Structures are given as structure tokens and as C-alpha cells.
Amino acid sequence: SILFGNTHQRVVGGRGTVTRADSTIELDASVQLLYGDAEVEGEAREVVKRLWLGTVSVDYRPAGQTSPFVFGTFESSLEKQIAERYSVGAGVKRTFVRSERSEASLSLAALDERTVPLPAARGRATRRLTRWSVRVRARHAGGDAGASARD
């Protein structure tokens, strides 16, 4: 490694996602795991990377003009010095334009988050945040996308 000189590093990770969607409900769940350790010039091997991240989201009537949704996340990260972070939220998405080539929507959500630092993160206390989120989204496919052939 350029940064640590003569080191032996190992990193292993994985990711999985499950999605189910129909006209009534869209469910998305994912998990990501990472682990890494390193040995520096004969010293004891130590953990340098550890991440657990899981997310779940549920949209009701995802193809409708108005679609309520809920979501949740769990995270634990050695690099960020987070023992555990939980976040949950709920909101609604309003779609103004939806066609084969274009889509425009506005989402409004409330999020509550609690973060517990690792014991090694001196001076950092458990923190709770509640906040609003607004997202404007627009998409348009240019060119002849979806156009039919002419004689």
C-alpha cells in the first residue's frame, strides 16, 4: 500500500437486494456488509474496515399520481466511528408528468435519525435529528425514444 508501506491487507464484502413491485406496493430491501483487516510490518493484525448497512422502503401505489412511502435504515461503521445509526421516515410523492419519455415529481418527507458513536469516538455524544426533506425530480429522454417507424 502506498499510504502504509509494507502491509498485508484483506477486504471482503457483499451486497444483496430484494425488490417486489406491482400496481399496489413496491418493496425494496438491501443489505451491504464489508470487513477488512491489515497487518503492518509484523505487528498484530487489526480491523481497518467494518460496515453493516441495511435499508427498507415501501411505496404504496407507486404508479399513482400520489404515492405515500415509508423507509428505514440501519448502519454501523468503524470508519465513521458509528456504533449504530437508525433512521426512519415517511412521506408522499406527487407525480405531475409521467409518460414513456418524461417524468416530473415532487417528494416531501419527514426523517428521524438516532446516531450512537463508538466508545473510541471521544467527545462525541449520542445524537438525534429530525428533519424535512424535499426532492424535485425531472427526467426526459431525448431523440427518437419511443417513436414509431414511418414509411
Side-chain angles (χ1 to χ4, degrees):
S1 171
I2 295 172
L3 300 176
F4 297 104
N6 188 15
T7 63
H8 298 279
Q9 300 177 10
R10 299 182 296 203
V11 177
V12 64
R15 176 181 290 187
T17 300
V18 174
T19 301
R20 180 195 179 279
D22 61 29
S23 62
T24 305
I25 292 257
E26 182 175 341
L27 169 68
D28 185 58
S30 67
V31 65
Q32 179 181 358
L33 306 168
L34 288 172
Y35 176 84
D37 61 18
E39 178 184 6
V40 180
E41 298 183 11
E43 294 180 15
R45 191 168 281 285
E46 68 178 71
V47 176
V48 294
K49 178 182 282 297
R50 184 176 56 235
L51 170 72
W52 302 347
L53 179 63
T55 63
V56 174
S57 66
V58 179
D59 292 25
Y60 178 68
R61 295 182 23 180
Q65 274 190 313
T66 303
S67 175
F69 58 88
V70 294
F71 54 91
T73 302
F74 171 79
E75 177 182 15
S76 178
S77 172
L78 177 67
E79 291 172 300
K80 295 179 184 177
Q81 297 188 348
I82 296 171
E84 50 196 49
R85 176 183 288 157
Y86 303 94
S87 61
V88 294
V92 65
K93 179 174 100 172
R94 174 74 172 154
T95 301
F96 299 100
V97 175
R98 179 177 287 132
S99 69
E100 260 187 56
R101 296 178 55 168
S102 302
E103 185 173 328
S105 64
L106 172 71
S107 297
L108 176 65
L111 171 73
D112 191 59
E113 177 180 286
R114 181 173 182 262
T115 303
V116 178
L118 287 171
R122 294 184 179 102
R124 291 177 56 193
T126 297
R127 187 176 69 194
R128 182 173 179 202
L129 297 171
T130 302
R131 58 184 166 224
W132 289 98
S133 170
V134 177
R135 182 175 76 176
V136 176
R137 198 168 185 184
R139 174 188 61 82
H140 179 72
D144 290 334
S148 60
R150 295 185 184 165
D151 290 324

